[in-house]
Amino acid sequence: VDVNAGLHACADLVRSFKQVAVDRKSVEVRDYDLHDLCEEIVNIMLPQAMMGKHQICLLVAGEIRMRGYPATLSQVMENLIRNALNHAFPGRDGGQLQLSASLQGENRVLLCLQDDGVGIASADLQRIFTPFVHTRLAQGRYGLGLHVSYNLVTSLLQGQIRIESGAGCGTKVTLDLPLQIARI
């Protein structure tokens, strides 16, 4: 057993736990354009996508203004995209991811990430947000990513997260978020 590899794995696990416990005072509330934020996220994630010859299509209108925690939303979306790239296309190049948004009434937005990958088995889908649920423990995965995302969306971002999928059907993750968060 390589001690250094074990220490690195332990350090990664501690970093993951730190993400679960967000310090609300360290996060800045500000106004932002959802398209601009999503474009930044896609640009950050594009090198990883290109390694697997995957594409990320951005379909977010430029006039959706929000007030909230853009850094937190960015963290969640990067995690969701990373999760899709790591799990949706095993042994396959050329997968498609689509990031879209639509206004829901005057004060909410639906932000969707959809892939054309292998999907998620119904047994796994039922426990997808549970900590330590993972399919790649042997590859250094700890099963905290979606748990962290769920906590950030439902607490700090004051929204809801839903995942729709089935084996062989791809996956759609939908965030239902307020355009302006309530004071905390």
Side-chain angles (χ1 to χ4, degrees):
V1 176
D2 182 13
V3 174
N4 284 333
L7 287 173
H8 288 291
C10 185
D12 288 342
L13 187 57
V14 168
R15 275 192 291 279
S16 293
F17 275 119
K18 285 182 178 179
Q19 286 182 342
V20 174
V22 174
D23 178 3
R24 292 177 184 221
K25 294 178 184 174
S26 69
V27 183
E28 179 185 350
V29 174
R30 66 179 177 87
D31 294 327
Y32 61 97
D33 182 271
L34 185 60
H35 176 271
D36 293 347
L37 181 71
C38 289
E39 188 172 54
E40 288 175 25
I41 294 164
V42 168
N43 288 335
I44 289 168
M45 299 307 299
L46 205 52
Q48 184 178 347
M50 291 172 60
M51 286 178 17
K53 299 180 180 138
H54 307 304
Q55 295 181 0
I56 304 174
C57 177
L58 180 62
L59 299 172
V60 177
E63 61 272 353
I64 301 175
R65 298 288 305 163
M66 297 182 72
R67 180 164 182 77
Y69 299 102
T72 302
L73 181 55
S74 181
Q75 177 186 350
V76 167
M77 293 310 300
E78 287 175 32
N79 183 51
L80 294 173
I81 293 171
R82 189 175 300 107
N83 195 65
L85 293 172
N86 288 335
H87 296 282
F89 313 111
R92 173 182 149 203
D93 287 341
Q96 301 285 321
L97 290 168
Q98 179 176 298
L99 180 56
S100 62
S102 60
L103 290 171
Q104 298 297 299
E106 293 180 17
N107 58 3
R108 298 201 71 81
V109 65
L110 292 182
L111 185 58
C112 298
L113 178 66
Q114 189 162 356
D115 68 60
D116 67 348
V118 297
I120 303 168
S122 61
D124 293 331
L125 194 59
Q126 294 174 10
R127 55 192 190 105
I128 197 103
F129 297 122
T130 305
F132 303 110
V133 169
H134 49 75
T135 58
R136 294 189 178 181
L137 179 61
Q139 296 177 3
R141 307 286 191 251
Y142 302 106
L144 286 172
L146 290 178
H147 175 70
V148 170
S149 294
Y150 176 85
N151 283 339
L152 291 173
V153 169
T154 58
S155 63
L156 204 56
L157 297 178
Q158 301 173 5
Q160 299 170 7
I161 183 170
R162 180 177 68 247
I163 298 183
E164 301 168 60
S165 187
C169 299
T171 301
K172 181 178 182 181
V173 181
T174 304
L175 305 183
D176 181 347
L177 302 170
L179 289 175
Q180 183 168 344
I181 62 163
R183 291 189 175 251
I184 296 180

